[in-house]
Amino acid sequence: MAKSYNPPTVWRPFGAFSQTVIAGAGRTVYLKGQVALSAENEIIGEGDMAAQVTQVLTNISEILASMGGRMSDIVSLQQFTTDIQAFMGCGEIRAGFFAAPYPVTTTLEVAALYDPRLLIEITGIAEIPLDRFVSPADAEEMHGPS
C-alpha cells in the first residue's frame, strides 16, 4: 500500500496533495488523461469548470473501480487546465474525491486542450493493492513477442 510523506525540511502542502508518495507491493495503473466526456463521448459542462472537474474525477473513479481500485489508490496526479484561477476554485470538489493522505499533484495552466470547450485534463498513476486488484477480462497485451 502506498504511503504519503511530507518531509519537515520543505514547505507543507497547502491543499489536497502530498509532497511524496512511496509505493510498492501492488499493481501499478497508469491513467490516460481524462477530460469531461460522458460515456457517450459528449462534453459535460461546457464553460463550467466545476462540472468538468467533477466529470473528470468521476471518470477516473470509475476506471479505477473497474479494476478493484479506489481514488485513495492514486499516488500521483498531473492536472492541465486552461484557467488556473477557475480550477483553484474547485478545491472542495477535489476534497470530495480524495482524503488524506493525498496524492502528489502537479497542476499546469496550458493554452488549450484538444477541444476548446474542454477546460481540464487530469492524468495519474495508481497502485491498487494485490488483494483488491481485478484484472480486466478484456485487457490486451501491449507488447508482443520480440
Side-chain angles (χ1 to χ4, degrees):
M1 175 143 301
K3 295 182 179 180
S4 167
Y5 176 59
N6 294 304
T9 56
V10 297
W11 55 276
R12 292 291 298 166
F14 54 83
F17 61 91
S18 297
Q19 290 287 15
T20 63
V21 170
I22 303 161
R27 294 297 299 224
T28 304
V29 176
Y30 300 88
L31 301 165
K32 182 240 178 276
Q34 291 296 308
V35 294
L37 291 177
S38 69
E40 295 77 29
N41 288 330
E42 296 174 1
I43 292 177
I44 302 298
E46 186 174 343
D48 183 341
M49 182 66 78
Q52 290 201 11
V53 168
T54 300
Q55 182 64 44
V56 168
L57 293 174
T58 297
N59 289 350
I60 291 171
S61 179
E62 289 180 8
I63 290 167
L64 290 173
S66 74
M67 294 176 277
R70 303 174 184 151
M71 293 298 276
S72 60
D73 297 327
I74 295 174
V75 295
S76 177
L77 290 173
Q78 298 82 45
Q79 304 171 132
F80 305 92
T81 181
T82 60
D83 185 343
I84 195 79
Q85 291 306 112
F87 178 73
M88 296 304 288
C90 295
E92 286 187 30
I93 295 168
R94 261 186 60 109
F97 283 87
F98 296 100
Y102 301 110
V104 296
T105 304
T106 299
T107 305
L108 298 169
E109 184 172 74
V110 296
L113 296 171
Y114 79 89
D115 184 305
R117 298 173 295 167
L118 295 169
L119 306 173
I120 183 78
E121 182 168 344
I122 300 176
T123 184
I125 300 170
E127 181 200 2
I128 302 174
L130 292 175
D131 63 338
R132 277 195 281 113
F133 181 77
V134 177
S135 185
D138 57 351
E140 298 178 32
E141 290 289 330
M142 288 188 62
H143 308 287
S146 29

